[in-house]
Structure formats: C-alpha cells, structure tokens
C-alpha cells in the first residue's frame, strides 16, 4: 500500500511540474457575443464576415465596424525551476534550517536496544498447541 501511495504521489508531482512549466496559447474568434471557434495549436477559423465589404449607412461616408473580434490568451510557463538558498530572506532561511534540523533528528536511533519483556520468563509449555490442532507455519 505504501509503494502504491508513493507511485501516485510521484506521478501527481511529475504532472504538476509538467503543467507549471508548459506554456500555451488559446485563440478564440467571436462573432458578436457568440464564440465561433477556439484553438490551442492552430489559427482559429473565422466566420467569413470580416471579408465582406461593409455597407455605407444612408449616404454616410463612414463604414460600419466589423462585429467579429479575436481574443488571444497566453499562459507563460515557469522558466526557472532551480531556486537557490540565497534568494530567501533571513527569516525564511532560519525556518528552512530549523525545519530540516528538527526533521533529521526525528530519525536518530536509540543508544541501546530496549527489550521491554527481558525480565519476564516465557509461559510453561503444557501442551504443544500447534501439534494438537495441526497448524504449522511454513
């Protein structure tokens, strides 16, 4: 169970690093308020309305504005993955140093091997229970 948990954690952290370092761009084309097309990898396909010649309104020389619009969202990934200890301020350095010191000291061994049942004798064997019930550990 422990190795399964470690494998899931490793896969999750690997995907997290992959998605935080990956850059991507989303292109979207709107006609009015309606989303016509969006794309992650290619250029978006337009609806063709921007190629039409706009009509003149009642003798007015000004042309109408196109109702189409394009939106581009750019997500930049993280470039620098190596953080140095020098970029931390003094309080953060003290915290990291004390955390590692206290964490490593959790795993120090004991000075001597303590056996809590050393002073107690084992129970007397009246009958051999395994032979009586014919249960043997192999």
């Amino acid at each position: 169970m422990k190795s399964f948990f470690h494998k899931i954690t490793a896969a999750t952290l690997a995907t997290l690093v992959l998605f935080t370092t990956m850059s991507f761009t989303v292109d979207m084309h709107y006609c009015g308020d309606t989303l016509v097309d969006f794309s992650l990898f290619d250029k978006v396909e337009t609806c063709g309305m921007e190629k039409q010649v706009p009509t003149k309104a009642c003798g007015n020389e000004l042309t109408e504005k196109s109702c189409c619009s394009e939106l581009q969202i750019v997500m930049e990934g993280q470039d620098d993955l190596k953080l140095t200890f020098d970029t931390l301020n003094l309080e953060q350095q003290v915290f990291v140093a004390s955390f590692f010191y206290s964490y490593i000291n959790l795993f120090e061994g004991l000075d001597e091997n303590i056996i809590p049942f050393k002073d107690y004798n084992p129970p007397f064997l009246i009958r051999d229970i395994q032979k009586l019930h014919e249960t043997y550990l192999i």
Side-chain angles (χ1 to χ4, degrees):
M1 183 70 178
K2 188 175 181 181
S3 89
F4 179 70
F5 178 70
H6 283 281
K7 288 179 184 178
I8 288 177
T9 306
T12 304
L13 291 177
T15 55
L16 178 70
V17 168
L18 175 71
F19 284 120
T20 57
T21 57
M22 186 173 69
S23 300
F24 64 92
T25 303
V26 177
D27 293 324
M28 294 180 275
H29 180 78
Y30 287 95
C31 277
D33 291 336
T34 306
L35 177 66
V36 175
D37 190 25
F38 80 98
S39 176
L40 288 173
F41 303 110
D42 294 332
K43 295 247 181 201
V44 291
E45 294 180 9
T46 61
C47 59
M49 292 185 69
E50 67 276 348
K51 294 179 183 176
Q52 294 177 352
V53 178
T55 59
K56 295 181 181 176
C58 298
N60 193 355
E61 297 296 325
L62 299 174
T63 60
E64 292 182 13
K65 189 176 180 182
S66 175
C67 66
C68 295
S69 65
E70 291 191 7
L71 179 65
Q72 185 178 34
I73 300 172
V74 178
M75 296 296 293
E76 291 291 330
Q78 182 180 3
D79 291 336
D80 186 24
L81 291 179
K82 237 182 191 178
L83 298 176
T84 61
F85 197 68
D86 300 334
T87 59
L88 302 175
N89 61 18
L90 180 64
E91 291 143 359
Q92 292 171 338
Q93 288 179 3
V94 169
F95 173 75
V96 169
S98 61
F99 176 76
F100 280 121
Y101 178 75
S102 63
Y103 185 75
I104 288 173
N105 284 339
L106 287 176
F107 299 108
E108 286 186 0
L110 298 174
D111 292 338
E112 64 180 58
N113 193 6
I114 299 172
I115 302 172
F117 51 86
K118 180 176 68 171
D119 297 329
Y120 299 103
N121 293 328
F124 294 117
L125 183 63
I126 299 171
R127 293 184 268 190
D128 193 4
I129 301 292
Q130 282 118 1
K131 190 171 182 183
L132 183 65
H133 294 288
E134 295 183 4
T135 57
Y136 303 102
L137 295 176
I138 296 176

